[in-house]
Amino acid sequence: DEILKKVTLITVVRDGSLDENQLKDFSQRVLSPYGESNVLTFSPIEVSSTEIRNKARSGEDFSSLVGEEVFSFIKAKGLYKDV
């Protein structure tokens, strides 16, 4: 209980789960006694972490699969080169 009162809980609407209104209702009824909570709705992108690692390892462009900062970080650190 103590930890929950110090953080903001985030719940995410996913395909096949509760719709946004149901999740907001659940969040209000069940989570609000523990502190602040937010419901996020977004469209997930279909991307495979294996595909990203394989492309990085082989030197292929994978910039369209990740955000700009993530792409730059992976390139700068040389991640997945020796995996």
Side-chain angles (χ1 to χ4, degrees):
D1 289 349
E2 191 174 318
I3 292 173
L4 293 174
K5 290 179 181 174
K6 293 180 179 184
V7 300
T8 299
L9 297 171
I10 305 293
T11 53
V12 179
V13 177
R14 298 187 316 176
D15 289 340
S17 69
L18 302 174
D19 68 31
E20 185 175 0
N21 290 330
Q22 291 171 315
L23 195 53
K24 284 181 179 178
D25 179 59
F26 171 82
S27 183
Q28 179 65 33
R29 284 184 298 105
V30 178
L31 303 177
S32 64
Y34 298 104
E36 184 179 351
S37 67
N38 293 317
V39 176
L40 300 179
T41 302
F42 68 95
S43 299
I45 56 171
E46 294 296 324
V47 64
S48 161
S49 57
T50 300
E51 180 181 5
I52 293 167
R53 287 190 301 272
N54 288 342
K55 286 181 180 278
R57 185 177 303 113
S58 67
E60 293 180 59
D61 180 37
F62 60 96
S63 60
S64 64
L65 302 176
V66 297
E68 184 179 328
E69 288 182 9
V70 173
F71 179 76
S72 296
F73 183 84
I74 291 171
K75 295 293 279 185
K77 299 291 185 181
L79 300 181
Y80 313 122
K81 291 292 182 186
D82 298 321
V83 176

